[in-house]
């Protein structure tokens, strides 16, 4: 079910108030090449950022698997993600940057279309552990806290997924690079209507520049855990692959257990 179809349902009034960027644009994108602008996010960007993340990741197979009921509860999906975004915006040791491009339907307006969430080394251990695997994956802690998230996930899958993902993160990333020495890219996403225009690359490069400037400890390394879809961008931007791992589905369907590969990557700063 597309977001457009959801808007035609009775829930539309509630959804419309907050999902201004979540709908799929009808206008074609401007052919003018425009320089992408990057700036730090403010609390006023919370809803736009939530829309970007929602639309950027809702089609990812592992996200659909964990958030099995998200299409049935669009408002709760939005609120679940908004909770995570707000927590991140409140944390002084987390930097959220947005990429701005002209609105496809109103080209004179620059609007946020991409987002990067970076955790400074100082964020540990103060950061809420609930969102460390990304805003669309939920640790049992996050589920206990948030009833919006509880409605959209399959709880068994979320716990099992988190267990496997966290174990790999601990064994293959945090053991070699203590959290206090990681400048960690938690989330990078571009709204689907604005992809392939360089927003993701510009956000990563901008984040690395900030990391370099604020890196008073020579041992800090930029790190991330890429999905298969995200990996080519990071390889293109000269990130180095440290370790691939897979998370496996709980079910065997027609003799096959679905699995998703992630690539732990690093970049000097
Ligand atoms: C883009 O412009 C359209 C038409 O004015 C508006 O409905 C929409 O909310 C705008 N999108 C963003 C992301 O600002
Ligand atoms: C954005 O935020 C980071 C981290 O707080 C800071 O170092 C940087 O100077 C800010 N950039 C701008 C342009 O304000
Ligand atoms: C949650 O996922 C598990 C494993 O895929 C499945 O067996 C179970 O039926 C699902 N639970 C609900 C409530 O659908
Ligand atoms: C970097 O790590 C090495 C070895 O772990 C240590 O000896 C050194 O003091 C660290 N440097 C800084 C600036 O923390
Ligand atoms: C992880 O997989 C990718 C894609 O196959 C590959 O390019 C990369 O070298 C692998 N990383 C390691 C550490 O083997």
């Amino acid at each position: 079910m597309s977001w457009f179809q959801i808007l035609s349902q009775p829930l539309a009034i509630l959804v419309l108030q907050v999902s201004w960027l979540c709908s799929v644009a009808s206008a074609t994108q401007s052919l003018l090449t425009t320089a992408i602008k990057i700036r730090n996010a403010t609390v006023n960007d919370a809803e736009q950022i939530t829309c970007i993340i929602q639309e950027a990741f809702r089609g990812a197979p592992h996200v659909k698997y964990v958030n099995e009921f998200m299409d049935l509860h669009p408002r709760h999906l939005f609120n679940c993600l908004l909770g995570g975004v707000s927590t991140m915006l409140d944390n002084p040791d987390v930097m959220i940057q947005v990429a701005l491009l002209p609105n496809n339907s109103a080209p004179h307006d620059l609007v946020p279309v991409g987002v990067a969430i970076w955790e400074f080394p100082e964020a540990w251990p103060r950061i809420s552990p609930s969102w460390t695997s990304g805003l669309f994956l939920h640790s049992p802690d996050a589920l206990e806290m948030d009833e919006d998230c509880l409605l959209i996930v399959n709880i068994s899958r979320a716990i099992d997924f988190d267990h496997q993902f966290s174990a790999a993160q601990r064994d293959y990333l945090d053991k070699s690079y203590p959290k206090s020495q990681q400048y960690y890219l938690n989330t990078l996403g571009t709204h689907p209507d604005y992809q392939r225009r360089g927003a993701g690359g510009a956000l990563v490069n901008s984040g690395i520049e900030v990391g370099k400037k604020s890196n008073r400890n020579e041992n800090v390394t930029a790190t991330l855990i890429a999905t298969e879809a995200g990996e080519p961008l990071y390889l293109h931007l000269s990130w180095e692959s440290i370790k691939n791992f897979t998370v496996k589905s709980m079910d065997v369907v027609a003799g096959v257990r679905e699995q998703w590969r992630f690539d732990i990557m690093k970049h000097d700063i």
Side-chain angles (χ1 to χ4, degrees):
M1 183 192 288
S2 75
W3 195 242
F4 180 76
Q5 285 170 310
I6 291 165
L7 288 179
S8 68
Q9 293 184 348
L11 207 50
I13 295 159
L14 287 169
V15 174
L16 268 174
Q17 290 173 346
V18 287
S19 63
W20 55 277
L21 179 59
C22 297
S23 58
V24 176
S26 52
T28 50
Q29 72 186 42
S30 160
L31 292 176
L32 298 169
T33 48
T34 317
I36 294 156
K37 293 199 171 51
I38 307 287
R39 65 165 169 78
N40 285 350
T42 72
V43 287
N44 297 327
D45 296 314
E47 287 174 356
Q48 292 92 315
I49 290 170
T50 303
C51 281
I52 293 166
I53 292 172
Q54 173 178 288
E55 295 309 303
F57 288 100
R58 68 183 308 158
H62 70 287
V63 165
K64 287 185 173 177
Y65 166 80
V66 169
N67 300 276
E68 188 181 357
F69 310 109
M70 64 183 180
D71 290 337
L72 296 175
H73 304 289
R75 188 165 55 89
H76 299 285
L77 166 63
F78 186 89
N79 288 342
C80 169
L81 295 174
L82 182 61
V85 168
S86 304
T87 306
M88 292 296 200
L89 277 167
D90 278 348
N91 188 323
D93 296 322
V94 171
M95 176 177 75
I96 304 189
Q97 295 200 312
V98 288
L100 309 173
L101 277 174
N103 181 338
N104 284 342
S105 330
H108 295 293
D109 294 339
L110 278 183
V111 290
V113 300
V115 60
I117 304 179
W118 295 88
E119 296 169 5
F120 286 103
E122 293 77 16
W124 301 97
R126 290 197 297 282
I127 193 163
S128 158
S130 316
W131 309 107
T132 52
S133 315
L135 298 176
F136 249 120
L137 304 174
H138 319 274
S139 73
D141 289 351
L143 291 176
E144 255 171 50
M145 290 185 308
D146 195 318
E147 58 190 44
D148 288 305
C149 298
L150 273 175
L151 259 170
I152 62 168
V153 301
N154 176 313
I155 298 167
S156 318
R157 291 182 184 181
I159 291 172
D160 181 65
F161 194 103
D162 177 71
H163 183 75
Q164 295 181 59
F165 192 97
S166 305
Q169 184 165 20
R170 184 184 63 237
D171 292 346
Y172 304 129
L173 179 58
D174 300 345
K175 273 190 185 156
S176 316
Y177 302 91
K179 285 196 187 297
S180 61
Q181 297 179 7
Q182 285 183 49
Y183 176 53
Y184 180 70
L185 179 53
N186 177 297
T187 298
L188 177 77
T190 303
H191 191 282
D193 294 345
Y194 297 85
Q195 282 171 3
R196 307 196 168 279
R197 291 164 69 181
L203 282 163
V204 174
N205 289 336
S206 168
I208 293 282
E209 285 311 307
V210 174
K212 280 181 179 156
K213 276 183 206 150
S214 51
N215 184 8
R216 279 173 233 100
N217 177 343
E218 63 198 18
N219 290 350
V220 173
T221 304
T223 58
L224 60 81
I225 302 180
T227 60
E228 277 192 73
E231 183 187 53
L233 171 69
Y234 301 117
L235 289 172
H236 179 71
L237 296 171
S238 306
W239 286 64
E240 184 189 330
S241 170
I242 302 175
K243 175 81 185 174
N244 288 295
F245 69 90
T246 57
V247 173
K248 294 181 175 59
S249 157
M250 297 175 78
D251 318 286
V252 178
V253 178
V256 180
R257 189 181 295 277
E258 210 183 342
Q259 60 178 42
W260 306 277
R261 182 174 65 85
F262 297 91
D263 191 348
I264 299 177
M265 308 182 89
K266 73 178 177 88
H267 196 287
D268 292 336
I269 55 169

